[in-house]
Amino acid sequence: MVNRKHRENSHGRESASGPRERVDVAVEEAVEAAAAAEPVTDAGPEAGREALPEPDLELELEEARREAASHMDEFLRARAELDNLRKRSARDVEHAHKYGLERFMNELLPVKDSIELGLNAADDSVADAAKLREGLELTLKLFEAASEKFGLEEVNPEGQSFDPEYHQAMSMQESPDVPAGTVVTVVQKGYVLNDRLLRPAMVIVAK
């Protein structure tokens, strides 16, 4: 009886431990299969990195040459345009110096024509003084009209206060009728060209 129970106990232990051993064996076989499938390399930590392609130096050099040629062409074009602009500006300045007074002289030509007509009339032995005066007045009006077109203004300060910026005192005289510092006589009119003093008026001032 005892041997039978012992055999039964032993058989029970073997039956209880059998499945665990089979699981351990299966795990060991799976590990060995995985190890056999994994390739063995000695690349170390650099193995996961992809190798970079080597640069094509010839291609880069050719591209740099094309860019340099393009920049040189742009530079030459810009320099040519600058030279043309410089020549054109110099030509414009030269023309301005030569023909800057063209319009002004065209305005003065009628004044000259009027003066010549007056001189021809004065040569006549039966010249009328009134007509000569009328011709001179017309000539003066023509000149004043031509001057005003170019910004010439007359400075005639008679009866005004003396202004040293636009007037030049020639002398002073007693004048009880006006306050001191008043211009009593204009010896020579002054002129302003485009708000710039061209010639001061020569005046006599009351003291």
Side-chain angles (χ1 to χ4, degrees), residues 132-142:
L132 290 175
R133 179 179 179 84
E134 182 181 353
L136 288 174
E137 290 176 351
L138 177 61
T139 302
L140 181 59
K141 288 181 180 179
L142 289 173

Side-chain angles (χ1 to χ4, degrees), residues 1-11:
M1 285 293 293
V2 175
N3 292 335
R4 182 178 178 182
K5 290 182 179 181
H6 178 74
R7 284 196 301 269
E8 288 178 356
N9 291 337
S10 299
H11 180 72

Side-chain angles (χ1 to χ4, degrees), residues 116-131:
E116 289 177 346
L117 291 175
L119 291 174
N120 292 334
D123 290 339
D124 193 349
S125 57
V126 292
D128 188 352
K131 290 185 178 180

Side-chain angles (χ1 to χ4, degrees), residues 9-153:
N9 291 337
S10 299
H11 180 72
R13 284 197 301 270
E14 289 177 0
S15 299
S17 62
R20 186 181 299 113
E21 291 178 354
R22 287 196 296 271
V23 170
D24 292 340
V25 171
V27 170
E28 291 178 0
E29 291 177 352
V31 172
E32 291 177 357
E38 183 179 355
V40 180
T41 58
D42 296 332
E46 301 295 330
R49 300 182 182 179
E50 296 182 358
L52 297 176
E54 295 185 0
D56 191 340
L57 298 181
E58 290 292 337
L59 182 61
E60 292 182 1
L61 180 59
E62 184 63 25
E63 182 66 22
R65 287 174 177 172
R66 283 197 297 268
E67 291 182 3
S70 176
H71 293 330
M72 178 58 69
D73 183 65
E74 293 176 359
F75 167 74
L76 294 177
R77 289 176 182 272
R79 188 172 66 177
E81 291 179 1
L82 182 61
D83 290 341
N84 291 336
L85 178 62
R86 186 182 297 110
K87 292 177 182 178
R88 187 162 53 251
S89 299
R91 186 166 55 249
D92 292 342
V93 170
E94 183 181 359
H95 289 172
H97 288 164
K98 286 184 177 180
Y99 309 112
L101 296 177
E102 181 178 0
R103 184 179 168 212
F104 179 68
M105 296 307 298
N106 281 331
E107 296 292 339
L108 287 183
L109 289 179
V111 178
K112 182 177 182 295
D113 295 339
S114 180
I115 293 174
E116 289 177 346
L117 291 175
L119 291 174
N120 292 334
D123 290 339
D124 193 349
S125 57
V126 292
D128 188 352
K131 290 185 178 180
L132 290 175
R133 179 179 179 84
E134 182 181 353
L136 288 174
E137 290 176 351
L138 177 61
T139 302
L140 181 59
K141 288 181 180 179
L142 289 173
F143 177 79
E144 289 176 347
S147 301
E148 289 176 358
K149 290 182 179 180
F150 293 90
L152 185 67
E153 298 179 10

